[in-house]
């Protein structure tokens, strides 16, 4: 096994709390309507719950994406080529990531994630599956440019961003992320011809299918949503009454997205990091967006972020897409 203990790039305060987490939560609770970025779902328990979500009957994206990765390995190998450093934005999936690594024969694997414990556990598991493959976990907020380990500097890079996590962001933030991925992968330093990105994007489909995927009958997604509040209470000295919040998932057709909320079932008062807040019955904390794409909207988003689509694959039922893109050469004019 050739994994490393990893690099930690998360900035923490004197209490050991991620500074960005505290800032985002307080800023989100002060605004109206209240909203907290979805990236903060993923503490260790949140990451485990999400892995469980991927196995529930209603949640189709993981099965659809796995189908593509299983069926298209030879095409990935031909278009991507061997010997790249695979930089995964988020801790590696125990199912999806090995399928890609097996297909393209990489020279190194670099998972980036803000949840350090889950990151190291995931990296160690993948290192056991691929003895001899250098694994360099980096604990970092990949929403910003990340400095990669020196060991991968000479290598061409492939970014891997499965699961349609890009859909969690409003378009402006998604474009910013795609641009920061370019920078992390070296495309802004004269390596544009080498940097590639394999990204998952979920597709627009029937409303009932979409809403069921984010509100499963077993309540796993609801537990995942509420775990955000449990984390706030634990890490930020919060007094939010979890039992007074219910999980809601609704389709917003105008914005082409599923929205997840935590809605107050009664009037509540609470504190977070010593600051007081209140919610009326029916008020909500907006915790996640999951945008769905058409071919055109996916291409437009990638191009705006500095990536040119090369190849697009869908599963047999056309529920989900994986897109391979190459970093677009910086140009001053069309």
């Amino acid at each position: 096994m050739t994994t490393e203990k990893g690099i930690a790039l998360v900035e923490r305060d004197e209490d050991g709390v991620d500074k960005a987490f505290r800032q985002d939560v307080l800023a989100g609770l002060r605004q109206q309507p209240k909203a907290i970025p979805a990236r903060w779902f993923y503490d260790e328990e949140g990451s485990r719950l999400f892995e469980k979500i991927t196995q529930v009957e209603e949640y189709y994206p993981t099965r659809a994406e796995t189908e593509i990765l299983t069926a298209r390995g030879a095409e990935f190998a031909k278009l991507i080529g061997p010997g790249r450093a695979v930089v995964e934005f988020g801790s590696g999936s125990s199912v999806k990531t090995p399928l890609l690594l097996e297909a393209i024969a990489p020279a190194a694997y670099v998972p980036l994630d803000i949840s350090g414990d889950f990151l190291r556990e995931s990296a160690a598991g993948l290192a056991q599956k691929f003895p001899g493959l250098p694994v360099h976990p980096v604990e970092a907020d990949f929403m910003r440019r990340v400095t990669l380990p020196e060991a991968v500097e000479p290598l061409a890079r492939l970014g891997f961003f499965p699961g349609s996590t890009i859909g969690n962001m409003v378009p402006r933030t998604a474009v910013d992320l795609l641009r920061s991925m370019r920078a992390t992968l070296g495309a802004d330093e004269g390596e544009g011809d080498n940097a590639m990105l394999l990204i998952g994007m979920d597709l627009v489909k029937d409303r009932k299918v979409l809403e069921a995927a984010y509100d499963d009958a077993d309540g796993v997604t609801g537990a995942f949503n509420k775990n955000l509040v449990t984390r706030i209470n634990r890490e930020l000295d919060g007094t939010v009454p979890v039992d007074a919040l219910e999980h809601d998932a609704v389709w917003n057709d105008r914005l082409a997205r599923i929205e997840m909320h935590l809605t107050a079932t009664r009037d509540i008062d609470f504190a977070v990091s010593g600051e007081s807040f209140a919610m009326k019955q029916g008020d909500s904390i907006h915790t996640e967006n999951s945008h769905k794409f058409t071919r055109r909207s996916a291409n437009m988003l990638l191009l705006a972020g500095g990536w040119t689509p090369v190849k697009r694959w869908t599963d047999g039922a056309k529920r989900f897409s994986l897109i391979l893109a190459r970093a677009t050469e910086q140009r001053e004019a069309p």
Side-chain angles (χ1 to χ4, degrees), residues 40-56 59 62 115 118 121 213 216 218-231 234 242 247 260 288:
W40 299 117
F41 279 130
Y42 299 97
D43 63 351
E44 185 173 3
E45 178 62 14
S47 297
R48 294 187 194 285
L49 282 168
F50 183 74
E51 285 290 309
K52 191 173 180 180
I53 287 171
T54 65
Q55 300 169 30
V56 303
Y59 193 79
T62 300
S115 177
F118 191 78
E121 180 182 327
D216 59 280
D218 292 336
V220 181
T221 310
F224 172 72
N225 200 4
K226 290 185 177 183
N227 181 67
L228 175 60
V229 177
T230 302
R231 179 183 184 184
R234 182 182 67 250
V242 181
H247 166 70
M260 288 200 336
E288 184 179 66

Side-chain angles (χ1 to χ4, degrees), residues 194-211:
N194 288 328
M196 303 184 81
L197 177 67
L198 184 63
I199 185 170
M201 292 191 178
D202 198 6
L203 303 177
V204 173
K205 59 185 66 64
D206 183 77
R207 175 178 189 151
K208 291 181 179 179
V209 174
L210 288 167
E211 290 186 343

Side-chain angles (χ1 to χ4, degrees), residues 30-329:
R30 290 175 190 137
Q31 69 184 40
Q32 291 298 334
K34 301 182 188 304
I36 298 172
R39 63 193 179 120
W40 299 117
F41 279 130
Y42 299 97
D43 63 351
E44 185 173 3
E45 178 62 14
S47 297
R48 294 187 194 285
L49 282 168
F50 183 74
E51 285 290 309
K52 191 173 180 180
I53 287 171
T54 65
Q55 300 169 30
V56 303
E57 181 179 353
E58 298 92 334
Y59 193 79
Y60 62 86
T62 300
R63 292 191 298 275
E65 191 171 28
T66 301
E67 177 187 322
I68 300 168
L69 287 163
T70 302
R72 303 296 186 174
E75 293 178 54
F76 298 149
K78 181 178 179 180
L79 291 168
I80 295 167
R84 288 182 179 267
V86 174
V87 180
E88 183 164 6
F89 296 90
S91 291
S93 161
S94 60
V95 176
K96 290 183 286 187
T97 305
L99 290 171
L100 177 65
L101 298 181
E102 287 169 358
I104 67 170
Y109 172 64
V110 185
L112 312 178
D113 202 277
I114 204 166
S115 177
D117 291 340
F118 191 78
L119 167 70
R120 286 180 283 275
E121 180 182 327
S122 172
L126 281 165
Q128 287 182 334
K129 290 183 179 180
F130 295 90
L133 176 67
V135 177
H136 309 278
V138 179
E139 182 181 357
D141 178 4
F142 60 70
M143 294 296 295
R144 303 175 179 86
R145 177 177 179 170
V146 177
T147 301
L148 299 179
E150 291 183 7
V152 304
E153 282 188 2
L155 303 174
R157 292 123 191 215
L158 170 72
F160 185 41
F161 198 40
S164 198
T165 305
I166 194 73
N168 292 152
M169 298 148 207
V170 296
R172 179 187 68 254
T173 307
V175 169
D176 287 345
L177 173 59
L178 289 167
R179 289 174 176 168
S180 74
M181 287 176 167
R182 276 180 52 91
T184 294
L185 296 172
D188 292 340
E189 299 175 356
E191 298 295 331
D193 289 341
N194 288 328
M196 303 184 81
L197 177 67
L198 184 63
I199 185 170
M201 292 191 178
D202 198 6
L203 303 177
V204 173
K205 59 185 66 64
D206 183 77
R207 175 178 189 151
K208 291 181 179 179
V209 174
L210 288 167
E211 290 186 343
Y214 293 84
D215 192 13
D216 59 280
D218 292 336
V220 181
T221 310
F224 172 72
N225 200 4
K226 290 185 177 183
N227 181 67
L228 175 60
V229 177
T230 302
R231 179 183 184 184
I232 290 169
N233 287 345
R234 182 182 67 250
E235 297 186 23
L236 302 180
D237 297 321
T239 61
V240 188
V242 181
D243 64 344
L245 298 171
E246 66 179 7
H247 166 70
D248 286 321
V250 294
W251 172 248
N252 184 327
D253 191 65
R254 181 174 66 88
L255 298 176
R257 71 190 189 193
I258 284 283
E259 297 180 358
M260 288 200 336
H261 295 257
L262 288 169
T263 304
T265 59
R266 63 175 189 269
D267 294 354
I268 55 175
D269 297 287
F270 57 91
V272 175
S273 292
E275 190 169 336
S276 297
F277 301 94
M279 295 174 66
K280 297 290 187 181
Q281 181 179 357
D283 289 349
S284 76
I285 304 171
H286 189 163
T287 54
E288 184 179 66
N289 294 314
S290 188
H291 291 83
K292 308 304 174 185
F293 299 93
T294 63
R295 178 190 290 269
R296 288 178 177 175
S297 64
N299 286 352
M300 183 176 293
L301 186 68
L302 286 165
L303 289 165
W307 297 93
T308 299
V310 173
K311 180 75 174 179
R312 177 180 184 266
W313 299 270
T314 63
D315 64 295
K318 300 188 183 305
R319 298 166 296 178
F320 193 91
S321 66
L322 263 176
I323 301 171
L324 181 66
R326 187 181 297 278
T328 306
E329 182 181 355

